[in-house]
């Protein structure tokens, strides 16, 4: 069985699927990605499917599961390089791929994930400051 390589680029993991995704390969990728997210602490996963001519229902569901698992592990997922025929097939199969954002290419996906991360950090930072301000005001 072939494995899909998972590369770390900054705070992101990049998966470029260059082989036909058989069911076992998709399941192995799901396990490998979850492990890599935990080990690296990365906050974004980019899955490049530009080499895939077709995505069946099992692979589509596996992509959705990968996004859900990643989100639970504090990493967002972006799928890039989706061909029109693949998008049409997913819609026809009724697979909306919840939790998966898409981008046209890897560069746009990196920008999207970086922007999302910055916004999240700003929100967390604002909450921490508000709590500190409240604590300072209520302390006798």
């Amino acid at each position: 069985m072939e494995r899909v390589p998972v590369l770390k680029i900054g705070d992101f993991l990049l998966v470029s699927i260059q082989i036909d995704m058989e069911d076992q390969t998709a399941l192995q990728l799901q396990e490998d990605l979850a492990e890599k997210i935990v080990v690296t602490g990365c906050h974004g996963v980019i899955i490049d499917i530009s080499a895939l001519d077709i995505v069946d229902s099992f692979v589509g569901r596996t992509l959705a599961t990968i996004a859900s698992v990643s989100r639970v592990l504090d990493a967002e997922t972006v799928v890039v390089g989706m061909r029109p025929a693949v998008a049409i097939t997913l819609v026809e199969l009724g697979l909306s791929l919840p939790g998966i954002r898409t981008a046209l290419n890897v560069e746009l996906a990196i920008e999207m994930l970086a922007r999302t991360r910055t916004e999240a950090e700003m929100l967390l930072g604002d909450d921490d400051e508000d709590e500190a301000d409240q604590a300072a005001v209520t302390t006798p």
Side-chain angles (χ1 to χ4, degrees):
M1 174 183 64
E2 291 184 76
R3 285 182 108 118
V4 177
V6 179
L7 307 172
K8 183 178 185 298
I9 299 176
D11 193 34
F12 310 116
L13 296 175
L14 174 63
V15 177
S16 183
I17 301 172
Q18 300 295 317
I19 59 173
D20 287 332
M21 287 290 285
E22 297 176 11
D23 292 357
Q24 193 59 39
T25 306
L27 290 172
Q28 187 63 53
L29 173 61
Q30 181 177 311
E31 290 178 28
D32 291 347
L33 260 175
E35 180 66 26
K36 201 81 157 184
I37 291 168
V38 170
V39 169
T40 64
C42 286
H43 296 287
V45 175
I46 300 168
I47 303 175
D48 181 0
I49 63 169
S50 59
L52 295 182
D53 292 324
I54 190 153
V55 173
D56 65 16
S57 61
F58 182 79
V59 172
R61 284 192 308 272
T62 302
L63 288 173
T65 301
I66 287 171
S68 296
V69 170
S70 297
R71 197 169 34 261
V72 168
L73 297 173
D74 193 29
E76 294 297 321
T77 302
V78 180
V79 172
V80 302
M82 186 178 302
R83 295 177 182 212
V86 170
I88 291 167
T89 300
L90 290 173
V91 170
E92 288 174 348
L93 291 172
L95 297 174
S96 61
L97 301 181
I100 295 183
R101 294 185 292 167
T102 59
L104 294 176
N105 56 48
V106 172
E107 183 179 355
L108 292 173
I110 290 172
E111 289 174 11
M112 180 187 298
L113 289 170
R115 187 173 51 250
T116 301
R117 193 70 191 162
T118 301
E119 290 169 359
E121 288 171 355
M122 287 174 56
L123 287 173
L124 290 175
D126 289 346
D127 289 345
D128 292 342
E129 290 173 13
D130 290 345
E131 289 174 12
D133 290 344
Q134 289 175 358
V137 170
T138 57
T139 304

